[in-house]
Structure formats: C-alpha cells, structure tokens
Amino acid sequence: MLDTKNFEKTLYQDTKKAFKNIIQKYGNDLYVMGFYHTVSYSLLPMFNTLSDLKKVFEAEYNNDVSSFYMAKWNPEDYPMLEDYSEYFDETTLECQKLEDSIDLFQSDIEAMDNWHQWLTTMEKVLIQLDAEGIFSNGIEREKITLAILAYDEEESIQFKRIKRLNPPTVLAQIQADFEAMVSEREKCEQEALNAFNQKVQHYYIYAIHKV
C-alpha cells in the first residue's frame, strides 16, 4: 500500500496556489478544472475556458458538430496546461518518490490497488478544496466541472469519477455530453468487432474451399 500522506499534502498546497491564480485570471470563462494524468504517476493541472474551446473547435475540428464533445473534454486540446506545471514542481517530486517506492515485482492486483489509491488521493484534494470554497470564490460553482481525466481512458470511467467530484447541478448539465461519448465509443467498438468477425468468417470460408 502506498504512503500518500506527503503526496496529498503537497498536491493540496500546489493546487490551491495554482488554481487561485487560474480562477483569478480566467473567472467565469472557465468550465472545467482538475488534473490530467498521462503516463504512470504523473499529472498536470488541467483547465479550459469557453473562449479556448471555441477557438479549438473552429481551428482543429472545423466546427464539426459531431466532434464537439471531443473538443470539449479532450485535455490534449486544452491550451496552457504546461504553463502552470511549474506550480507543481514539488508535487512532481512526490509522484516520483511514490513511483520509486513501488515494488517492481508487485502483483497485478497490487499495481491496480496502488493506482486507484493515487487517483483517490487526487480526488480527495479536489473535494477538500471544493469544500473550502475555492471553486465558488469569484466564480459560479455550478458552471465548473471538476474532473480528473486521463489519456485514452473510457468516458464511462471518467464520468464515474466526475460524479464523485461534482454536485447534481453540475452533473445535470454535462450528463448528455458523456452519454453521447459513451454511445459513440460503443458504436465504434461494435463496428470494429463486426469488421473483425467478418474477416474471420471470410478467412474460414476461404480455408474450407481451399481444402
């Protein structure tokens, strides 16, 4: 089991400082705040504004309505995340310490438990800051979605986490977004499965005829 006490304390301090500056600078133009983790035990402060969403949607997605949810919830399209990473230098060091403390020969179950513990600590920090009112100080809380997003993570998993971080007023506004993304993923996976099954069937028929 990971010892996340120092990580939690440091993440709380760094996040509070960074997010206060972000909120002060962007105000009610913000619509999402939280953390983005890419590979292993690493994270970046994550946020986006409605203004930047509009720019990205036009420039990168050609205002294609079918891709709007991707533009809205894909942190790789959020600008300026790296600009605020300097606030998290101490957190990065704590992440590295946690990763270095992990047994290289741990079981898959232990690895999954450690991973969930790390993510849960991030949740605890956001929940604590929310309880302290940082996301309602100078901005409208019901317009901010707190989230912890990951590269190539299924939307259904993301939304389960988001449900734990936000009040019903926020969830009511974004539920349709995630339902649409989940449905689109399921559709794509089914199409891929059908294509695979069709290839297998053709190969089987070809093999029979060849015999």
Side-chain angles (χ1 to χ4, degrees):
M1 189 172 183
L2 291 176
D3 182 359
T4 57
K5 289 181 181 178
N6 287 337
F7 169 61
E8 182 176 345
K9 179 181 178 181
T10 304
L11 179 62
Y12 168 82
Q13 293 171 341
D14 288 350
T15 303
K16 187 172 185 178
K17 186 176 181 180
F19 281 16
K20 275 187 175 181
N21 287 332
I22 291 169
I23 289 170
Q24 185 176 19
K25 184 172 182 178
Y26 297 102
N28 281 317
D29 199 22
L30 293 161
Y31 72 87
V32 60
M33 297 188 75
F35 304 120
Y36 174 49
H37 66 92
T38 52
V39 181
S40 192
Y41 293 83
S42 64
L43 63 87
L44 286 172
M46 180 192 71
F47 69 95
N48 203 16
T49 64
L50 295 171
S51 298
D52 285 317
L53 170 61
K54 184 178 179 181
K55 292 176 185 176
V56 168
F57 185 50
E58 181 178 351
E60 302 295 331
Y61 294 88
N62 297 317
N63 289 324
D64 179 3
V65 175
S66 65
S67 300
F68 179 73
Y69 298 130
M70 175 65 73
K72 186 176 180 181
W73 297 109
N74 181 13
E76 291 193 348
D77 288 325
Y78 296 174
M80 299 173 294
L81 300 189
E82 293 287 352
D83 294 350
Y84 286 85
S85 63
E86 64 184 30
Y87 283 94
F88 288 77
D89 287 344
E90 295 299 319
T91 292
T92 299
L93 289 176
E94 289 300 325
C95 286
Q96 291 172 350
K97 288 178 184 178
L98 284 177
E99 190 166 14
D100 291 342
S101 72
I102 294 172
D103 184 356
L104 294 176
F105 301 102
Q106 66 182 339
S107 67
D108 290 342
I109 294 176
E110 288 173 325
M112 189 60 67
D113 285 344
N114 287 337
W115 181 248
H116 284 304
Q117 187 183 351
W118 186 69
L119 289 171
T120 298
T121 302
M122 285 193 278
E123 287 186 36
K124 287 171 64 178
V125 167
L126 290 179
I127 289 171
Q128 182 178 350
L129 290 172
D130 194 18
E132 293 173 4
I134 190 173
F135 301 110
S136 53
N137 185 10
I139 56 177
E140 298 177 58
R141 175 63 183 91
E142 63 272 16
K143 293 185 179 179
I144 300 292
T145 298
L146 298 184
I148 300 170
L149 302 178
Y151 172 74
D152 201 27
E153 186 177 55
E154 290 187 10
E155 292 78 13
S156 58
I157 296 175
Q158 292 177 348
F159 194 48
K160 284 181 181 178
R161 193 180 298 131
I162 287 172
K163 286 178 179 178
R164 296 194 292 267
L165 293 170
N166 295 277
T169 50
V170 171
L171 298 176
Q173 298 177 58
I174 64 173
Q175 184 167 345
D177 292 9
F178 281 86
E179 286 178 348
M181 288 190 290
V182 169
S183 178
E184 181 62 25
R185 179 182 286 270
E186 289 175 348
K187 178 184 175 183
C188 291
E189 289 177 349
Q190 187 60 53
E191 289 176 351
L193 180 61
N194 291 341
F196 174 77
N197 288 337
Q198 195 171 34
K199 280 186 177 180
V200 170
Q201 186 176 20
H202 286 166
Y203 177 79
Y204 179 70
I205 293 173
Y206 170 77
I208 290 176
H209 285 304
K210 190 174 182 180
V211 172

